[in-house]
Amino acid sequence: MSFTWTHEIESPVAAPRLFKAAVADWHNLGPKLAPHIIASASPASDTIGSVREFKFTSTMPYSNIKERLDFLDAEKFECKQTVVEGGGIGITIESLSIHIKIEPNSKGGCVCKVVQTCKLLPGVKAEEQAAKSKETASSIIKAAETYLLANPDAYL
C-alpha cells in the first residue's frame, strides 16, 4: 500500500538558518543535539546521488538509515531524499522518499513543509507509520530550532 502525507512545522527561525541546521548539516548537528538517539553520522556531498548515513543507539528500533540525495536547491531551501537502507526498509516499509521545503513567512520565521511518500509492507497501518514519521520530522526541526534560538550566530 502506498500513501503520501504532508506535515507543516512553523518556526520563528529564518529559513536559511533552519535549512542549514536541520537539513544540510543535520549529520553534524544531530549527534550533538540528540546523542541518546544518533550515535554517529557520515555526511553526503551536495552531489545528487550521494548518500549520508546515520547510526542510531539502541533506543531506536533500527540501527541505521541511509538517505540518497535526489534533488537539492539550497537557494530555495528545498531537497528530496530517498531512504535506501535501514530506517524500517524491509521491516515495515518497502520504499520511502522525503521532500523538504522550508519557506520564509511574513513574521521573519519560516514554515517547514515535509511530504513523505511511502510504500508499506503488507499489514502495516498507514496512520501509525505517518504519526511516527511526523513526530520524527517535528523533533528534528524543533531540536534545530531550539539550538538556533540559543545560538543566534550559528548557521548564518
Side-chain angles (χ1 to χ4, degrees):
M1 172 177 149
S2 292
F3 77 101
T4 299
W5 59 259
T6 301
H7 186 51
E8 293 189 4
I9 307 150
E10 288 195 46
S11 174
V13 175
R17 292 182 70 216
L18 191 60
F19 183 80
K20 288 175 192 172
V23 180
D25 198 46
W26 187 244
H27 57 276
N28 286 318
L29 190 58
K32 293 174 186 170
L33 299 182
H36 57 291
I37 298 171
I38 304 171
S40 65
S42 60
S45 67
D46 289 345
T47 306
I48 302 304
S50 64
V51 175
R52 71 177 173 180
E53 179 179 19
F54 293 88
K55 293 185 180 181
F56 300 111
T57 66
S58 60
T59 62
M60 295 294 287
Y62 36 83
S63 63
N64 76 316
I65 191 169
K66 288 185 179 180
E67 306 168 329
R68 181 186 67 228
L69 182 63
D70 297 323
F71 171 81
L72 175 66
D73 187 335
E75 292 178 10
K76 292 185 179 176
F77 320 117
E78 182 175 8
C79 75
K80 292 180 184 177
Q81 304 164 326
T82 299
V83 175
V84 295
E85 183 182 305
I89 298 291
I91 300 168
T92 56
I93 300 167
E94 184 176 319
S95 63
L96 173 66
S97 64
I98 305 160
H99 177 198
I100 301 168
K101 184 168 177 80
I102 301 180
E103 299 178 332
N105 65 21
S106 62
K107 301 176 220 167
C110 63
V111 176
C112 177
K113 295 180 180 182
V114 181
V115 178
Q116 187 178 81
T117 302
C118 187
K119 185 170 184 185
L120 298 174
L121 292 173
V124 178
K125 295 183 179 179
E127 301 81 24
E128 290 176 14
Q129 187 64 41
K132 288 178 191 176
S133 295
K134 288 177 182 181
E135 181 180 334
T136 298
S138 292
S139 296
I140 291 169
I141 297 301
K142 291 303 178 182
E145 174 186 290
T146 299
Y147 174 81
L148 293 170
L149 292 172
N151 297 279
D153 293 331
Y155 294 97
L156 292 176

